[in-house]
């Protein structure tokens, strides 16, 4: 049988598409794989079963399901056994390579794929000279752009005859390709959608990687009034923190500030965080507060921290929905995103504020002695002093229940209230047991009364006005309503603390009921 020139053109191009193209694609795949993973724990590609296992493990569950046929072959690791379908998937659409492929390489490989598929859709095994030259040149240009050898393709292009012993083999390959294309036609649309999503994800990841490291400071709200700096407490605690930092050998150290409700733990931690951030002569630092009152507030705080660290909304959007159903799992996934970012900072301080149950959140915070998070410190404020580890390495604990110093208490009352009556201010400070929140609430209440028209109002009048529990509670509410820095009054915080305690201790519960019956609502 004698073949026409158009038939020979078809057979020659099929030889290029089915014999030479796979050789080039295997080289491109190995180049891209080695560029990404050579020198890492995953290792360069050597056509081993371990290579195939590594590739399979890097694919997502969705990819396992959608590309099961290709992955069954790829998992063996030997690229010589991979057909073009497997190779195009591995290069263009896989999670391990396709998501990071440069636009230039993607364009040329995809052009080869389109040329190959066009051949499969030809209804008659013929190619005009013009179509043959166009198709061959597309492959030649793609190979040249990819840095692949083009000698054999040039020889086929210039060939005037074709060895007929290869014809039946090539015809079978064409039939197999046509059947394969028919079978996968229904999934092409979903693949294109997945590719768009992958491109979007790749764009976001590129933005995240190229984002410049920026210092930041996330602290609790400042009170709406003048505050008194607790210089002695700050100096003592920061000196201890520096001592821990110097002795931690690059691992995390932890400071615990415990105390009764209203003793000023959160505001003192805020001042320490502010001083930490302002004193560092380095752009690679941050100070951040995590609200650890509950698992729900903690996951929200981690999401905020992630955004400030440069993690894109694309990476965080799935965690926004996961946090509602599985907040702890959401936090663990956030850790995996946050860790590589935090480790780039020279120094950092994370304030875990208002820990109610230390045992509940301890494992969700950076761990004392760990090197995974880089060189940083954790400052924990809590009422849960019973579960604070004693004499543990790289830790320090200080109780703030005694409140502020007498001179600091008087200065706070006079500064906020704008009333200078030292003797009466000392009486108020003693009555309020030198507790910062109670002092601030009292001073703010007096200032509010004075500025509202009662210019003669003073501390003596205040002492008369809060002689009962309900009166003091009403006075403290004025400050709590004005600022998010004081989400609760002293009395409300104490009530909540008592409630949590009596729920855990039956003897304390009965004692509380006895005292409530005896004294009713009297506080003093």
């Amino acid at each position: 049988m004698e073949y026409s020139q158009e038939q020979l053109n078809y057979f020659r191009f099929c030889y290029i598409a089915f014999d030479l193209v796979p050789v080039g694609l295997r080289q491109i795949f190995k180049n891209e794989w080695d560029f990404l993973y050579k020198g890492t724990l995953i290792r360069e590609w050597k056509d081993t079963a371990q290579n195939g296992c590594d590739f399979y493990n890097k694919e997502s569950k969705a990819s396992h399901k959608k590309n099961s046929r290709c992955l069954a072959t790829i998992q063996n690791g030997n690229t010589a056994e991979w057909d073009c379908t497997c190779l195009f998937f591995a290069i263009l659409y896989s999670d391990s390579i396709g998501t990071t492929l440069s636009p230039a390489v993607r364009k040329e490989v995809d052009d080869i794929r389109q040329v190959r598929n066009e051949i499969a859709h030809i209804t008659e095994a013929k190619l005009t000279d013009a179509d043959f030259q166009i198709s061959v040149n597309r492959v030649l240009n793609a190979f040249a752009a990819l840095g692949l050898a083009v000698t054999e393709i040039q020889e086929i292009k210039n060939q005037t005859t074709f060895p007929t012993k290869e014809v039946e083999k090539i015809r079978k390959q064409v039939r197999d390709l046509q059947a394969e294309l028919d079978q996968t036609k229904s999934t092409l649309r979903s693949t294109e959608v997945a590719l768009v999503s992958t491109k979007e994800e790749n764009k976001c990841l590129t933005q995240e990687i190229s984002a410049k490291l920026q210092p930041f400071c996330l602290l609790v709200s400042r009170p709406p009034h003048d505050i008194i700096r607790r210089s002695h407490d700050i100096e003592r605690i920061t000196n201890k923190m520096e001592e821990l930092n110097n002795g931690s050998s690059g691992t995390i150290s932890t400071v615990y500030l415990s105390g009764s409700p209203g003793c000023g733990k959160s505001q003192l931690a805020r001042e320490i965080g502010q001083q930490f951030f302002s004193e560092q002569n380095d752009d690679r630092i941050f100070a951040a507060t995590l609200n650890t009152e509950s698992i729900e507030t903690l996951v929200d705080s981690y999401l905020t921290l992630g955004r400030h660290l440069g993690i894109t909304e694309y990476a965080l959007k799935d965690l926004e929905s996961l946090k509602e159903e599985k907040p702890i799992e959401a936090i663990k996934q956030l850790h995996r995103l946050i860790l590589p970012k935090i480790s780039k900072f020279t120094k950092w301080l994370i304030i875990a504020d208002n820990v109610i149950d230390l045992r509940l959140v301890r494992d969700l915070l950076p761990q004392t002695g760990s090197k995974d998070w880089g060189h940083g410190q954790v400052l924990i404020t809590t009422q849960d002093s019973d579960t604070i580890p004693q004499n543990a390495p790289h830790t320090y604990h200080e109780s703030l229940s005694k409140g502020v110093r007498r001179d600091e208490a008087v200065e706070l009352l006079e500064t906020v209230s704008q009333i200078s009556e030292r003797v009466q201010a000392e009486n108020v400070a003693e009555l309020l047991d030198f507790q910062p929140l109670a002092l601030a609430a009292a001073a703010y209440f007096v200032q509010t009364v004075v500025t509202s028209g009662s210019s003669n109002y003073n501390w003596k009048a205040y002492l008369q006005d809060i002689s009962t529990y309900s009166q003091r509670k009403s006075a403290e509410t004025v400050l709590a309503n004005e600022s998010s820095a004081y989400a609760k009054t002293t009395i409300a915080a104490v009530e909540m603390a008592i409630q949590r305690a009596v729920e855990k201790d039956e003897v304390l519960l009965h004692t509380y009921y006895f005292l409530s019956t005896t004294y009713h609502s009297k506080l003093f």
Side-chain angles (χ1 to χ4, degrees):
M1 177 180 178
E2 184 175 347
Y3 294 101
S4 68
Q5 182 61 39
E6 292 183 340
Q7 288 175 315
L8 290 177
N9 287 341
Y10 176 79
F11 296 144
R12 282 190 292 161
F13 188 77
C14 283
Y15 180 77
I16 293 173
F18 298 131
D19 283 45
L20 302 185
V21 164
V23 175
L25 292 177
R26 291 182 186 109
Q27 185 60 51
I28 293 300
F29 169 79
K30 292 179 181 179
N31 291 346
E32 293 297 323
W33 179 273
D34 291 348
F35 174 77
L36 291 173
Y37 304 115
K38 186 177 181 179
T40 70
L41 294 177
I42 299 181
R43 298 173 295 272
E44 65 183 299
W45 194 276
K46 294 185 177 180
D47 283 337
T48 65
Q50 182 60 51
N51 288 144
C53 183
D54 289 339
F55 184 101
Y56 184 89
N57 290 338
K58 288 191 68 65
E59 293 300 296
S60 64
K61 291 182 179 179
S63 179
H64 287 172
K65 183 177 180 180
K66 184 169 64 176
N67 305 297
S68 58
R69 190 192 72 80
C70 286
L71 287 171
T73 302
I74 292 174
Q75 197 170 4
N76 295 329
N78 185 3
T79 56
E81 299 174 358
W82 302 4
D83 59 17
C84 283
T85 300
C86 291
L87 289 163
F88 284 129
F89 157 69
I91 298 171
L92 296 175
Y93 308 122
S94 67
D95 295 332
S96 54
I97 290 181
T99 57
T100 59
L101 199 64
S102 71
V105 173
R106 180 180 297 280
K107 174 184 177 301
E108 302 302 338
V109 173
D110 192 58
D111 198 28
I112 294 173
R113 180 186 66 82
Q114 292 179 34
V115 175
R116 176 179 173 273
N117 289 350
E118 288 168 7
I119 290 298
H121 286 296
I122 293 177
T123 56
E124 190 174 5
K126 294 180 180 180
L127 269 180
T128 65
D129 289 343
D131 289 337
F132 174 77
Q133 292 295 326
I134 291 172
S135 298
V136 173
N137 285 336
R138 287 175 67 183
V139 177
L140 271 172
N141 292 337
F143 266 51
L146 293 169
L148 299 174
V150 297
T151 303
E152 282 193 81
I153 299 178
Q154 288 281 15
E155 291 176 354
I156 298 297
K157 179 182 177 181
N158 300 326
Q159 191 177 30
T160 57
T161 60
F162 191 84
T164 56
K165 63 181 180 180
E166 300 290 335
V167 170
E168 286 304 317
K169 173 186 174 183
I170 292 172
R171 279 179 169 171
K172 181 179 183 303
Q173 289 177 322
V174 171
R175 289 194 298 270
D176 291 343
L177 175 59
Q178 289 174 329
E180 179 185 303
L181 288 175
D182 291 339
Q183 181 181 0
T184 60
K185 186 176 181 179
S186 61
T187 64
L188 285 178
R189 192 168 298 173
S190 61
T191 301
E192 291 175 358
V193 171
L195 180 58
V196 171
S197 176
T198 300
K199 288 180 178 178
E200 180 184 352
E201 182 179 1
N202 187 41
K203 179 180 178 182
C204 291
L205 290 174
T206 301
Q207 293 174 348
E208 185 175 320
I209 291 170
S210 61
K212 183 180 178 181
L213 210 62
Q214 296 284 354
F216 60 91
C217 187
L218 299 174
L219 301 175
V220 295
S221 302
R222 192 181 188 278
H225 54 73
D226 292 334
I227 62 173
I228 302 302
R229 180 174 172 80
R230 299 171 65 171
S231 302
H232 295 85
D233 291 333
I234 293 173
E235 182 178 2
R236 183 179 63 259
I237 295 170
T238 53
N239 286 342
K240 191 62 183 179
M241 290 174 65
E242 187 64 27
E243 180 184 329
L244 281 176
N245 181 68
N246 293 337
S248 63
S249 302
T251 64
I252 293 174
S253 55
T254 304
V255 173
Y256 296 89
L257 299 183
S258 68
S260 55
C263 70
K265 302 181 295 295
S266 295
Q267 286 304 316
L268 183 58
R270 186 186 70 82
E271 292 184 57
I272 292 172
Q274 185 64 57
Q275 179 167 308
F276 166 86
F277 185 76
S278 61
E279 287 186 349
Q280 305 300 321
N281 187 24
D282 193 333
D283 287 340
R284 294 177 298 167
I285 67 160
F286 74 85
T289 301
L290 302 177
N291 185 345
T292 49
E293 187 172 359
S294 66
I295 296 298
E296 289 71 26
T297 59
L298 180 57
V299 69
D300 283 334
S301 294
Y302 270 125
L303 285 167
T304 300
L305 176 59
R307 292 184 177 96
H308 279 81
L309 287 168
I311 298 172
T312 63
E313 290 298 327
Y314 185 90
L316 295 175
K317 66 179 182 180
D318 291 339
L319 298 180
E320 286 284 1
S321 55
L322 180 62
K323 75 175 185 179
E324 304 298 333
E325 300 177 1
K326 299 178 179 179
I328 293 180
E329 179 59 30
I331 290 174
K332 291 179 179 179
Q333 291 192 31
L334 277 164
H335 281 186
R336 289 191 281 272
L337 294 174
I338 287 172
L339 274 171
K341 299 287 186 180
I342 289 184
S343 61
K344 295 179 181 178
F345 284 81
T346 305
K347 201 172 183 181
W348 53 262
L349 174 64
I350 289 179
I351 300 172
D353 191 38
N354 197 24
V355 174
I356 302 300
D357 188 340
L358 193 54
R359 287 168 295 191
L360 182 64
V361 301
R362 193 195 306 274
D363 291 342
L364 303 178
L365 299 173
Q367 299 296 295
T368 305
S370 171
K371 292 186 178 181
D372 296 340
W373 293 69
H375 197 185
Q377 288 186 299
V378 179
L379 176 59
I380 297 176
T381 71
T382 182
Q383 300 172 32
D384 189 14
S385 58
D386 292 339
T387 55
I388 295 175
Q390 302 299 320
N391 302 319
H394 311 307
T395 63
Y396 171 70
H397 171 214
E398 180 164 326
S399 173
L400 302 175
S401 292
K402 65 181 180 180
V404 298
R405 291 155 50 102
R406 177 181 292 269
D407 59 333
E408 292 174 335
V410 173
E411 185 181 356
L412 174 60
L413 291 173
E414 291 183 339
T415 301
V416 177
S417 69
Q418 300 178 7
I419 296 176
S420 298
E421 295 179 356
R422 188 169 188 83
V423 174
Q424 290 294 347
E426 287 184 350
N427 292 335
V428 173
E430 289 181 2
L431 181 64
L432 299 180
D433 200 26
F434 304 102
Q435 298 299 300
L437 179 54
L439 293 168
Y444 194 78
F445 174 77
V446 171
Q447 181 196 50
T448 302
V449 174
V450 172
T451 56
S452 297
S454 301
S455 58
N456 295 323
Y457 195 78
N458 56 25
W459 286 118
K460 185 176 181 180
Y462 170 79
L463 290 172
Q464 293 173 348
D465 287 344
I466 62 164
S467 58
T468 67
Y469 174 88
S470 59
Q471 288 171 329
R472 178 179 168 187
K473 189 173 184 179
S474 297
E476 290 190 352
T477 303
V478 174
L479 178 58
N481 290 339
E482 287 293 323
S483 173
S484 60
Y486 299 121
K488 302 181 183 71
T489 65
T490 303
I491 293 175
V494 170
E495 287 177 341
M496 291 184 66
I498 291 175
Q499 180 65 33
R500 286 191 296 267
V502 298
E503 288 174 354
K504 297 178 181 179
D505 191 322
E506 187 175 351
V507 174
L508 185 58
L509 174 62
H510 291 300
T511 303
Y512 175 67
Y513 283 146
F514 171 74
L515 293 175
S516 299
T517 304
T518 304
Y519 296 104
H520 303 286
S521 63
K522 298 289 184 180
L523 180 64
F524 306 109

